[in-house]
Amino acid sequence: MTAIILGIIGIVLAPLVGGLIAGLDRKVTARMQSRFGPPIFQPFYDVFKLFGKEAAIVNVWQVFCAYTYLAAAAISVGLLFAGSDLLLLFFVQAVGAVFLVFGALSAPSPYSQVGANRELLQILAYEPLIILVFVGIYLTTGSFKISAILAQNQPLLPQLPLLFLALSYALTIKLRKSPFDLSTSHHGHQELVKGVLIEYSGPYLALVEVAHWYETILVLGLCALFWHTSLIGMAVLLVLTYFAEILLDNVTARMTWRWMLGYVWGIGLAMSAVNLVWITFKGA
């Protein structure tokens, strides 16, 4: 019963915190670019405005994909807060990511099609990293259960530093920040703006935006597992990690998908493998 209550609390609070993080992200980004920036609550104003607009859709399948994407993101966060199994959480979030691609592919727009293909490449890039991170956590704690991980009396980061860096690649892709903002971007100077989301509008675009807030909380929650023994240590780790993502977004340009696959698979998988080998020999 406690796990169910915690899961419901997570589902309710996650979009509120995710929206605030999105607002702070815009504010810090604006200050880095010598601008004043929008109010911190601007993401909430935008979403409420979208919910008030007329619903315009390309086809019914697109609407189904938007709701499925939101439901999968919310359930993933609920599983995280409930202390459920990491593998179950992985499969649920993967289903949501795939339905986002299906929704974009259902529209005949060339921008939507290109965005969907790029989103699929991004999924192929970060999903193996997340699986390896979960394997590393299992080898360290002996369980995929989040509740068992939280019961450990030692933080994971000193034992899994390279896997944490690999997870930061997934965070950059999930947050859609440079240099991995291939399928959709907030920046108007790029050739493909909001590609995978370009055919969504009104309340359905609002659903996708709320789902993105859930995903932000989900990935940050996974990062928090690396320093679960101290609330202060966890907060410092999350703030530094997210600030590094914003800084990286402002000092790098978008790269090609070939560069992304080569970099993420080459360096990310290599770091993960080295960390896994080190854990294995250390425990032998």
Side-chain angles (χ1 to χ4, degrees):
M1 182 58 74
T2 304
I4 296 175
I5 294 174
L6 288 175
I8 294 173
I9 291 174
I11 291 174
V12 172
L13 291 182
L16 303 177
V17 180
L20 284 176
I21 291 174
L24 286 169
D25 186 332
R26 289 189 190 181
K27 199 74 175 178
V28 174
T29 298
R31 293 302 172 89
M32 286 184 176
Q33 298 171 356
S34 300
R35 296 184 289 111
F36 184 75
I40 292 176
F41 294 104
Q42 187 62 47
F44 295 105
Y45 302 151
D46 294 342
V47 165
F48 287 137
K49 187 176 180 181
L50 287 171
F51 275 122
K53 287 184 174 294
E54 181 181 356
I57 62 171
V58 177
N59 52 58
V60 178
W61 177 247
Q62 187 187 32
V63 176
F64 175 74
C65 290
Y67 277 108
T68 306
Y69 177 49
L70 174 63
I75 293 172
S76 300
V77 171
L79 292 172
L80 176 70
F81 276 75
S84 185
D85 193 285
L86 283 174
L87 293 180
L88 177 60
L89 184 153
F90 172 82
F91 287 121
V92 173
Q93 67 84 29
V95 167
V98 170
F99 268 88
L100 179 64
V101 174
F102 285 165
L105 288 174
S106 69
S109 162
Y111 289 104
S112 183
Q113 295 284 320
V114 172
N117 290 326
R118 290 185 178 183
E119 181 72 15
L120 194 58
L121 287 170
Q122 292 185 166
I123 293 172
L124 292 174
Y126 71 72
E127 294 287 358
L129 294 182
I130 293 179
I131 279 289
L132 289 177
V133 169
F134 290 171
V135 171
I137 291 175
Y138 173 79
L139 292 176
T140 305
T141 64
S143 175
F144 283 112
K145 293 281 288 185
I146 297 172
S147 54
I149 297 166
L150 296 177
Q152 301 286 318
N153 54 12
Q154 294 291 329
L156 297 177
L157 186 59
Q159 303 175 73
L160 306 173
L162 297 180
L163 283 170
F164 182 78
L165 291 177
L167 182 61
S168 69
Y169 288 163
L171 179 61
T172 306
I173 296 173
K174 278 287 191 183
L175 292 176
R176 310 189 185 289
K177 291 188 175 299
S178 292
F180 302 140
D181 51 342
L182 297 172
S183 64
T184 180
S185 170
H186 299 285
H187 305 306
H189 62 275
Q190 299 200 11
E191 92 287 1
L192 188 67
V193 180
K194 291 290 183 185
V196 73
L197 308 178
I198 198 165
E199 293 300 326
Y200 285 100
S201 63
Y204 304 115
L205 182 59
L207 293 178
V208 174
E209 185 63 26
V210 174
H212 179 61
W213 295 348
Y214 273 115
E215 285 192 330
T216 301
I217 297 300
L218 174 65
V219 184
L220 288 177
L222 295 178
C223 292
L225 293 178
F226 282 76
W227 208 284
H228 62 280
T229 54
S230 165
L231 285 178
I232 296 176
M234 182 188 297
V236 171
L237 179 65
L238 293 182
V239 169
L240 290 178
T241 301
Y242 202 92
F243 181 78
E245 295 291 345
I246 298 175
L247 182 63
L248 188 68
D249 185 42
N250 282 276
V251 299
T252 59
R254 180 186 60 78
M255 300 300 177
T256 65
W257 65 268
R258 294 181 180 83
W259 184 91
M260 180 194 69
L261 287 180
Y263 189 79
V264 174
W265 282 356
I267 299 179
L269 293 181
M271 287 195 302
S272 302
V274 169
N275 208 148
L276 290 175
V277 170
W278 179 61
I279 295 171
T280 303
F281 279 98
K282 181 184 174 185

